[in-house]
Amino acid sequence: MIVIIKPHATPEQLEHVLDRIRQLGLQPMVSTGSERTVVGVLGDERLLAEGALESLPAVEQVMPILKPYKLVSREFKATDTVVQVRGIPFGGRQIQVIAGPCSVETPEQMRAAAAAVKEAGCRLMRGGAFKPRTSPYTFQGVGDEGLDYFRDAADAYDLPIVTELMDVRKIDLFLEKGVDIIQIGTRNMQNFDLLKEVGRLDVPVILKRGLSATVKEWLMAAEYIAAHGNHRIIFAERGIRTFETAYRNVLDVTAIPVMKRETHLPIIVDPSHAGGKAWLVPHLARAAIAAGADGLLVETHPCPEEAWCDADQALSPAQLGTLMGDLRKVAEAIGREI
């Protein structure tokens, strides 16, 4: 359930509400909006006697949350959450494009990629030092050393970095290297131990949708992160598996407005993994922005034909620049900006 706090309640009165919830054996989660403060109550609500909180001076209303996902739902927070990453907003009017290579390869490749990302007007950079691959015999990423290549290249252009975390044993390394956004990939969407651990961090998390995950399962995965304290969550739709074989995955554009209705958190789209071909990426990217996505994850490589991973879907720097110009027009048409 949620406890709606009166607009003019004092900090002391709010703390009294939180103490009372803890005394009852429940866990409070505070969400402070521009106009209202709401407290989510987690735990066995049978411990909460009728009227136990309504009588407190700071409490305006106590309401049940009917959704199984509590903290990430619109019922918990009616207004959109804006996740800030070094002053760059995800959610709201501005749309973010995160671009970069599928995998970190060499220092030279990452420097060239960072220059292209900055030149195109993107505000953040992506790159994988660790790569989950279907075959154990294909390139698995440069590893720890790759994070240094990535960090150095991105820092030269003041670009926050996004990279995938696959193993809880790498969390300390990610924190040491100052990874700005931790990505939880498709194959780990329901790795609940990993979700719990990133939930304990104060680092934004991009949660990619699983290959065959329903919207509810995706939201419940995010709830694991939020329930452990981290509410800086960004959903990423990257295409789902169906019977179709003409392209890599089916981009579920329908999921964008559905997620906007179900959750207050931002949602971005990965058109590169959805289409699997560079020529498809601009079409899917424009559709995602038109449907209301708050951002994109786009693969680009200084020389796509030489990429060590997913070469077919990577855009060249020139193609990325053209795409950004097209996306600005789409964004303007719907009252947003890139």
Side-chain angles (χ1 to χ4, degrees), residues 254-271:
T254 308
I256 301 168
V258 170
M259 290 290 283
K260 287 287 186 179
R261 182 183 178 91
E262 292 295 315
T263 180
H264 54 89
L265 295 166
I267 176 171
I268 63 176
V269 167
D270 182 343

Side-chain angles (χ1 to χ4, degrees), residues 9 14 36 77-78 218 248 250 267 309 314:
L14 173 59
R36 288 296 177 107
K77 186 171 183 283
W218 192 14
R248 185 170 183 177
V250 175
I267 176 171
C309 177

Side-chain angles (χ1 to χ4, degrees), residues 126 162-166 174 179 181-186 204-208 297:
R126 65 175 293 167
V162 179
T163 195
E164 182 171 351
L165 176 69
M166 297 168 53
F174 274 48
V179 171
I181 304 180
I182 293 174
Q183 177 179 301
I184 301 298
T186 291
V205 176
I206 288 177
L207 180 64
K208 281 198 165 185
L297 278 163

Side-chain angles (χ1 to χ4, degrees), residues 191-231:
N191 182 340
F192 299 120
D193 287 337
L194 185 60
L195 299 180
K196 291 174 187 176
E197 290 304 316
V198 297
R200 296 184 176 100
L201 305 178
D202 185 23
V203 179
V205 176
I206 288 177
L207 180 64
K208 281 198 165 185
R209 186 181 183 181
L211 285 169
S212 301
T214 65
V215 166
K216 181 180 177 181
E217 289 168 337
W218 192 14
L219 289 160
M220 291 302 295
E223 190 74 9
Y224 268 89
I225 300 172
H228 285 79
N230 189 350
H231 294 196

Side-chain angles (χ1 to χ4, degrees), residues 87-158:
I88 299 169
F90 282 81
R93 188 171 187 274
Q94 192 177 81
I95 296 167
Q96 306 303 337
V97 179
I98 307 168
C102 174
S103 63
V104 176
E105 298 167 7
T106 66
E108 295 75 21
Q109 169 244 10
M110 292 306 290
R111 285 195 293 269
V117 169
K118 188 71 172 183
E119 176 66 23
C122 306
R123 300 183 185 89
L124 303 96
M125 186 174 177
R126 65 175 293 167
F130 307 92
K131 297 302 300 179
R133 306 299 298 279
T134 301
S135 169
Y137 307 114
T138 50
F139 174 61
Q140 305 289 311
V142 176
D144 295 9
E145 192 176 26
L147 282 181
D148 290 324
Y149 300 165
F150 192 2
R151 183 82 270 175
D152 292 345
D155 283 351
Y157 294 93
D158 194 28

